[in-house]
Amino acid sequence: EETINVSGTAPQVDVQQATRTTVLARDVIDSLPISRNVMGLAVIVPGVRPGTPDMGGVQTTEQVGLRARGLGGLDGDQLVEGMSIQSYEGTSLSFLDDTLQSEMTVSTAAIPADTGGGGIRLNSILKDGGNNFSGSAFMGGTKGTWVANNIDEKLRARSLSVANGLDHLEAFTGSLGGPILKDKLWWIFSARHQSTETTIA
């Protein structure tokens, strides 16, 4: 008896409609050295830029304010499985656990009318437990001693002895999932710890 496995992935760019949507699949997310939050993921999409540069992941615990087509973060919308999770404080983005996402879509043009703003639309598609027990983990970080110091004599003469820099950065994420009743009921557990301490000149 021969077994045939069929798999498919969504195209990265949909050319069938005016909406400009980029799909960031899990394998793309896992292969890039970026901050593991929705803001860090969205900046790799063409035409999207952060309000604050995220060099080496130092903004992993901060909201960098995404911009596209001249519109800033106040015009954006964040969704999970198509349901808005915007904060009551305004349009601040939520720090959704990275390992809980199977993919994320970033829409930057011709966004549907059900979106409250005209900026970027982020939609996270979540993992499910599935019929097989599986898991994933990520660990990353750095120490400030690995970051160059550009303070020279001219700056010291102006009483500046410490540059903007990084004291430490650490990130641990993981998820586990599997079946309770095969083909009917699954479970998934995800957890995250992130910590970033920076020095200000």
Side-chain angles (χ1 to χ4, degrees):
E1 185 175 309
E2 186 178 344
T3 302
I4 298 174
N5 293 323
V6 178
S7 64
T9 58
Q12 274 201 309
V13 179
D14 186 352
V15 296
Q16 301 299 316
Q17 51 186 322
T19 301
R20 182 76 53 136
T21 299
T22 303
V23 178
L24 301 175
R26 186 76 243 174
D27 59 342
V28 173
I29 295 169
D30 289 339
S31 65
L32 296 173
I34 55 177
S35 291
R36 292 184 164 247
N37 57 40
V38 293
M39 292 73 77
L41 295 174
V43 298
I44 66 172
V45 172
V48 176
R49 64 184 181 87
T52 304
D54 184 14
M55 304 306 294
V58 296
Q59 299 294 328
T60 192
T61 57
E62 302 296 328
Q63 295 182 356
V64 298
L66 302 172
R67 303 182 61 81
R69 302 180 343 274
L71 296 171
L74 296 177
D75 297 295
D77 200 12
Q78 184 181 11
L79 304 100
V80 171
E81 302 278 354
M83 182 182 74
S84 178
I85 60 168
Q86 287 302 124
S87 167
Y88 283 125
E89 299 171 348
T91 54
S92 61
L93 299 174
S94 299
F95 286 90
L96 188 68
D97 191 344
D98 165 65
T99 55
L100 196 54
Q101 298 179 95
S102 63
E103 68 179 37
M104 187 174 86
T105 62
V106 183
S107 300
T108 57
I111 297 170
D114 63 345
T115 302
I120 300 167
R121 177 176 167 145
L122 308 174
N123 187 25
S124 296
I125 309 300
L126 303 181
K127 292 180 181 178
D128 59 36
N131 283 330
N132 297 314
F133 182 79
S134 63
S136 67
F138 170 80
M139 179 177 72
T142 188
K143 286 184 162 263
T145 54
W146 295 1
V147 179
N149 185 344
N150 64 353
I151 297 294
D152 58 16
E153 292 305 320
K154 289 182 182 178
L155 293 174
R156 283 192 189 90
R158 297 175 65 189
S159 301
L160 188 65
S161 59
V162 178
N164 285 350
L166 177 68
D167 183 39
H168 88 277
L169 182 154
E170 58 189 45
F172 308 97
T173 57
S175 68
L176 290 172
I180 295 174
L181 295 172
K182 218 165 193 178
D183 295 327
K184 293 183 180 178
L185 186 62
W186 307 278
W187 65 274
I188 188 163
F189 172 79
S190 179
R192 173 183 66 181
H193 165 77
Q194 291 180 306
S195 175
T196 306
E197 292 183 11
T198 58
T199 57
I200 306 300

